[in-house]
Amino acid sequence: MHVLAPPVIMASLEDLKEQAGIAACSFVSDGMAIGLGTGSTVRYSIIEIARMIREEGMNIVGVPTSEITRDLATKLEIPLIELDEANTLDLTIDGADEFDSRFDLIKGGGGALTREKIVALASRSMVVVADHTKQVETLGRFDLPVEVHAASLLGVKDAISSICPGEVLLRGGEIAPFITDNGGMILDCSFGPIIANPGHLEQEIREISGVVEVGLFVGICDAVVVASEVGVNTLIKPDGRLNSSGGVKD
Ligand code: 5RP
């Protein structure tokens, strides 16, 4: 007689994104002003925050990091404010294209890196949501997004090409370039396979005239909620701004 083994149900990448996105909302509490990131993983956090407002009566306001997130949050009836009205945010939840063992990030795969960095820097803490494929020992596998003023595109491309070992590509191509919410363009720069000193590279690129923002987030992220086949793990940066129970250190 054959005994059939129970089927092994593998979680899809979409399931993992949902698990991470929802789990990160354990950092959310009543009365918070929250930076709402951009992307397919943090989308689940935004949906969960809307549920917490609707079903648990939580008093939360959000600051969106992109027009896509503004539209989603508006549809979900999350009260929104402008960053200027908030001064300081309690928390930002956002996705990442890569995170490393020092909690440094590459962001901008969705093209929202400039507002994402402004909002994260205005926050008392930043929590990243990701599936396990985003975890690397050292940043650099993912091409580094750099937002550029459209009028400076060629000059910036030349300047970055002179320091970048790999290709520097205009996102969307020359005929139909991707345009950011700020009217800028994105150069995807192949600095990998490893970026040995992300902080130094960030400064070097920022000094190029015409660069709006660089998708390296160094020393900004305090925790990563990462989902894999074995479950959801919350990694708290030891010298970050969050304590082990998820509260902001005094
Ligand atoms: C947008 C971003 C995103 O957070 C990043 O690309 C991750 O997105 P996803 O969760 O869809 O993989 O930086 O600019």
Side-chain angles (χ1 to χ4, degrees):
M1 187 177 97
H2 290 289
V3 178
L4 291 175
V8 178
I9 300 175
M10 303 283 282
S12 69
L13 211 54
E14 202 58 35
D15 293 335
L16 299 181
K17 289 178 188 209
E18 182 173 15
Q19 288 165 20
I22 292 174
C25 292
S26 64
F27 288 92
V28 173
S29 52
D30 196 25
M32 279 187 165
I34 300 178
L36 304 173
T38 298
S40 58
T41 316
V42 74
R43 184 175 171 275
Y44 289 108
S45 307
I46 296 168
I47 292 170
E48 175 65 4
I49 289 169
R51 189 202 62 74
M52 291 162 96
I53 294 171
R54 198 174 57 244
E55 293 179 13
E56 299 174 20
M58 279 206 186
N59 186 14
I60 290 164
V61 292
V63 173
T65 54
S66 65
E67 293 309 307
I68 284 184
T69 291
R70 183 187 298 281
D71 291 347
L72 174 66
T74 303
K75 204 175 96 194
L76 294 168
E77 299 182 356
I78 297 177
L80 298 179
I81 55 170
E82 297 304 320
L83 187 56
D84 280 348
E85 296 172 58
N87 264 332
T88 309
L89 303 177
D90 298 290
L91 167 71
T92 282
I93 305 179
D94 204 345
D97 300 299
E98 278 186 359
F99 67 94
D100 70 9
S101 52
R102 291 176 299 198
F103 293 74
D104 292 336
L105 316 171
I106 289 182
K107 286 185 50 54
L113 61 142
T114 301
R115 291 197 203 176
E116 287 174 336
K117 197 181 277 188
I118 291 169
V119 170
L121 287 171
S123 303
R124 296 176 71 209
S125 58
M126 180 192 195
V127 173
V128 159
V129 286
D131 63 76
H132 62 99
T133 64
K134 310 288 185 67
Q135 185 162 18
V136 295
E137 187 49 40
T138 309
L139 300 179
R141 196 177 57 200
F142 193 89
D143 287 352
L144 178 64
V146 176
E147 181 165 354
V148 179
H149 278 292
S152 311
L153 182 66
L154 294 182
V156 173
K157 191 174 178 198
D158 281 352
I160 295 181
S161 296
S162 72
I163 57 168
C164 182
E167 284 195 302
V168 176
L169 297 174
L170 177 62
R171 188 175 298 178
E174 310 233 325
I175 295 172
F178 174 90
I179 305 293
T180 71
D181 288 342
N182 316 308
M185 294 181 185
I186 302 280
L187 292 173
D188 290 305
C189 312
S190 181
F191 277 97
I194 59 159
I195 295 174
N197 189 335
H200 180 263
L201 182 62
E202 181 189 15
Q203 289 314 319
E204 201 177 357
I205 299 174
R206 283 190 111 190
E207 279 166 19
I208 299 170
S209 166
V211 166
V212 177
E213 193 50 89
V214 182
L216 285 164
F217 284 49
V218 179
I220 300 175
C221 170
D222 302 291
V224 180
V225 179
V226 54
S228 71
E229 291 293 343
V230 293
V232 178
N233 200 3
T234 296
L235 311 169
I236 306 251
K237 186 178 178 180
D239 55 348
R241 294 169 293 178
L242 292 172
N243 59 38
S244 54
S245 51
V248 176
K249 289 176 187 165
D250 291 329

